[in-house]
Amino acid sequence: MGRLNLLEPAARRLPAGLKLLLLAVASIALFRLDGLAPLAAAVAAVLLLAAVTGSLGAVRQLRPLLTVIVLSFAAHALLGDWRLGLAVCLRIAALVTLAGIVSALTPLSDMLAALDRGMSPLRRLGVPTRPVAVAIAMTLRFAPLLAERWRALGDSWRTRSPRRPHWRLLTPFVIGAMDDADRAADALHARGGFVEKRP
């Protein structure tokens, strides 16, 4: 495994703003890709990127979304367009994994600073940008944490029951996520996380 993540040090040293910009460009490119073969190749490239940057944990973020992905594919298949459904699933897989890679390689404080700088022109016009920057950064940061919480709940269930958990995990998952969000909001408020940063 140590030989795989050759690019991890270099990826961590990249400026947070550049990583967020590359994530935005990659997201736009994924939505412009047509055809299952190019999308499958994009997913393979994202998985390779996760491997060489030591961010394979980002792939685990897909587990909580498997139900959504399967339902999305099923809905499109029932409507007679399974190819479009598969394309949607491939885009979701690539985008969520890319966001997880950026989150794993970028400290939250660096992401906030980069977003503050990027939105500074709006701030000069009187638009409050700090809440937007916090929301974007926290979304990227919480994705792997929520995936880990789902995995832990699944492991806990399997130690107590031979049945598959499925929907039974939704209630404790949602309650735990809301509790985490409340604690994070209180911590950010106490530390001035929503105070506008002056350019």
Side-chain angles (χ1 to χ4, degrees):
M1 187 66 184
R3 293 183 178 181
L4 272 181
N5 55 2
L6 295 174
L7 297 182
E8 181 179 3
R12 289 189 179 279
R13 286 196 299 269
L14 284 177
L18 178 58
K19 282 184 275 193
L20 291 172
L21 177 61
L22 291 174
L23 175 61
V25 171
S27 301
I28 294 171
L30 279 168
F31 278 101
R32 295 184 65 86
L33 274 181
D34 286 324
L36 295 180
L39 283 170
V43 171
V46 169
L47 293 176
L48 178 61
L49 179 64
V52 299
T53 57
S55 307
L56 281 174
V59 181
R60 289 200 298 267
Q61 295 177 29
L62 295 174
R63 291 183 63 182
L65 295 175
L66 282 180
T67 302
V68 175
I69 292 173
V70 170
L71 288 176
S72 177
F73 176 77
H76 284 87
L78 288 173
L79 293 173
D81 198 347
W82 66 268
R83 290 180 177 273
L84 178 59
L86 185 54
V88 169
C89 295
L90 290 172
R91 286 192 181 97
I92 292 174
L95 287 170
V96 171
T97 306
L98 276 174
I101 293 171
V102 172
S103 175
L105 298 172
T106 313
L108 179 61
S109 58
D110 291 355
M111 279 195 281
L112 280 173
L115 290 167
D116 277 329
R117 288 193 300 271
M119 291 188 288
S120 59
L122 294 175
R123 195 161 52 250
R124 294 190 185 97
L125 298 175
V127 177
T129 59
R130 186 64 173 183
V132 177
V134 170
I136 294 172
M138 293 300 287
T139 299
L140 291 174
R141 177 58 66 200
F142 263 77
L145 296 179
L146 292 176
E148 182 62 25
R149 175 179 287 277
W150 182 271
R151 185 195 64 77
L153 285 171
D155 290 344
S156 178
W157 175 276
R158 281 186 286 273
T159 61
R160 293 170 171 82
S161 173
R163 295 181 298 170
R164 295 177 66 85
H166 295 303
W167 57 270
R168 297 177 183 86
L169 297 183
L170 285 176
T171 299
F173 176 77
V174 171
I175 292 174
M178 293 175 65
D179 190 44
D180 289 343
D182 281 340
R183 286 201 299 268
D186 290 342
L188 282 167
H189 188 270
R191 291 166 174 78
F194 295 106
V195 177
E196 293 290 331
K197 300 296 182 182
R198 300 300 175 187

